[in-house]
Amino acid sequence: MTNTIRNKTAIIGAAETQRLGTIPDQSAMQLHAEAGLAALRDAGLTVHDVDGVACAGESPVEVAEYLGITPQYLDGTHVGGSSFMLHVRHAAAAIAAGLCTTVLITHGESGRSRVGMQPWAPAPQSMRGQFEVPYGVMGPPTTFPIGLLRYMKDYGMTPEQLAMVPVVQRQWAGLNPRAKLRDPITVDDVLSSRMVAYPIHLLECCLVTDGGGAVVITSLDRANSLDLPHDPVVILGAGESSESAMVSMMADVTSSRAFRTAGERAFAEAGIKHSEVDHLMIYDAFAHVPIYGLEDLGFVGRGEAPAFIGDGHTAPGGSLPLNTNGGGLSYTHTGMYGMFAIQESVRQLRGQAPAQVPDANISVVLGNGGMFMSAGVLVLGTPAAA
Amino acid sequence: MSEKAAPRPTPDTQPFFDAAARGELSLPKCRDCGELFFYPRSWCPRCSSADLEWTPCSGRARLHSYLINTRPAPGFEDETPYSIAVVELEEGPRMMTNIVGVPQTPEHLVLDMELEVVFDKHGEVAVPKFMPAGGAR
């Protein structure tokens, strides 16, 4: 592979807003700004060191202006919750090409309190407005799981196996004081929770919260010249893709082409094997998304993820620790969760995670956007892995 | 009661909704490569040809996958819970729809069951839906 971005850039600052959950006294823009300034402090930098800004939801023009940044690089890629993985990839390429030196990527979303947020409403002349909305869709719970019954029939997954996804992630959340839901749950708890949209139960749906996060990207050379309070997290590889804005148009409703395409590219660029991955984050808006993700990234074969999770491989002490912050199901989910998945990978690689995985040197993070609409995959590593 | 959301056709989709108003399910077919596709576009998604022909379909389909929504969208208040489904047309393409004319329960909504198209007016626009083949159960 030519023109690779492998080992050229690093995440040198990372932070979430002080509070997550219900934050009625801050707008989405305030959450962007608080997170952005915290990430810069984490890197020992100020806004005057930043020459590039990227974000989704809000415009990077507005974030730059709000923080007093004069940018020479703007990325407003907005493809849903995976946008931040794409921002990291684009920033790495831009820095490697010399377009800018230091990119601040921010996320802020008042997903629960809806302060300063636009309402969700596809236009009636959009393809979704013409071919999905008339059938009574009401947002993610009424669309995202639409392929699940087909997956269950084709691969024999039982409701009990699906329920293990939130059960295992709650085990991780129990180790994380910042997780919103921490009490242990059982398969019976999941299956007796309210049916939101058959076959999906309430405990198989993500949280809806307020919050923000941000990361700072610079060149590995510059990272090594700075007196950082912690090791840089090196960007080993990345990939991105998309399929359809309409979940009903997926070529295969049991597998995401975007996940597969982005994952193959990221692994090839990083030049790593699956067996080298110490830690994994898979965007979990609903319980079935990590199942698709494990299979589409190639960690297991088609139809094998339910048994893999059921056997404890992704649980604390397992061979492939997955969603170690508790995930969107138990930690937090503002609407575009991808930034929080990146934050946990950074904590794990720095050795600063509440539920720390021993000797975590390579972490893979898969972001989803929309309903299997888009994907971004990052392969991140410690300096030792680079 | 509020009304169900109505599609607002665009030039590339207008013939689909015109056919639906006549009680016909019609999809664009590429004269160059033979691809029959949904959703309607002005160029073939397989070979980019603009030489397309609107082609009537049989209206027969199978239930590919679905979920049952419990929280009504506007206009669905009297029929909640209701299915939101993906059906596979006999000719191959898949589309989102509602399964109607059958109790909205897992016992009555069986994957791969045979279906046939019916049309339901949302405002002024006819929208294709599907019911079990052979009539209501």
Side-chain angles (χ1 to χ4, degrees), chain B residues 74-98:
Chain B
F76 283 82
E77 292 84 355
D78 291 346
E79 49 197 274
T80 300
Y82 58 94
S83 58
I84 301 173
V86 175
V87 298
E88 185 168 294
L89 304 180
E90 187 175 59
E91 294 82 2
R94 294 195 198 120
M95 60 190 298
M96 183 178 276
T97 191
N98 300 126

Side-chain angles (χ1 to χ4, degrees), chain A residues 124-127 129-138 140-151 153-154 194-199 244 246-253, chain B residues 5-10 12-13 16-17 38-40 63-74 76 82-86 94-98 106 111-112 122 127-129:
Chain A
Q125 69 274 23
S126 68
M127 290 304 171
Q130 296 188 56
F131 298 113
E132 287 199 335
V133 174
Y135 300 108
V137 307
M138 294 281 286
T142 63
T143 45
F144 216 156
I146 204 165
L148 193 44
L149 286 181
R150 174 52 56 183
Y151 182 98
K153 176 166 182 177
D154 286 0
R194 182 167 63 83
M195 190 70 85
V196 172
Y198 172 83
S244 176
M246 294 189 281
V247 68
S248 58
M249 292 292 97
M250 292 174 76
D252 176 350
V253 297
Chain B
R8 189 178 302 164
T10 42
D12 42 1
T13 66
F16 175 86
F17 290 104
F38 181 86
Y39 59 94
L63 180 53
H64 189 65
S65 199
Y66 71 96
L67 52 80
I68 301 176
N69 185 24
T70 57
R71 205 164 54 103
F76 283 82
Y82 58 94
S83 58
I84 301 173
V86 175
R94 294 195 198 120
M95 60 190 298
M96 183 178 276
T97 191
N98 300 126
L111 291 202
D112 300 313
H122 287 207
V127 171
K129 300 191 177 178

